[in-house]
Amino acid sequence: MPNIEIAKRKKSQARPKTVGVKTITTDQGEKSRVYTVSNNSPNLGQDLLYAFRKSVEKARDENLKMFGTRSGK
């Protein structure tokens, strides 16, 4: 019988100071969060990666609510 391991979800890091968060209202009246990255940041790559990971985490959470799985399948 194969050995099965369940990986724990990593906790998010603290938001870097060069990454901002803005709450916007769409045309339909829904509120949405937008992550902004400073282009003068000395670690731009890490900031972009943080914003990307937060977006993916949000999309996976929405898939879990809609489809019952984080992958959306």
Side-chain angles (χ1 to χ4, degrees):
M1 184 170 243
N3 186 12
I4 298 174
E5 291 184 30
I6 298 174
K8 291 186 179 180
R9 189 172 165 189
K10 293 182 181 179
K11 292 187 178 182
S12 299
Q13 301 171 340
R15 181 173 49 91
K17 293 182 180 183
T18 52
V19 176
V21 179
K22 293 183 180 181
T23 303
I24 61 169
T25 305
T26 62
D27 294 336
Q28 292 81 17
E30 298 174 353
K31 294 198 181 239
S32 179
R33 277 192 168 165
V34 176
Y35 291 93
T36 59
V37 179
S38 173
N39 60 350
N40 294 328
S41 172
N43 48 355
L44 181 64
Q46 291 175 349
D47 294 347
L48 288 171
L49 182 61
Y50 174 83
F52 176 76
R53 284 183 176 163
K54 293 303 267 185
S55 297
V56 168
E57 183 179 327
K58 181 180 177 187
R60 288 184 176 166
D61 289 341
E62 289 176 3
N63 283 343
L64 183 61
K65 289 177 187 175
M66 290 174 59
F67 304 112
T69 64
R70 293 182 57 77
S71 66
K73 292 183 181 179

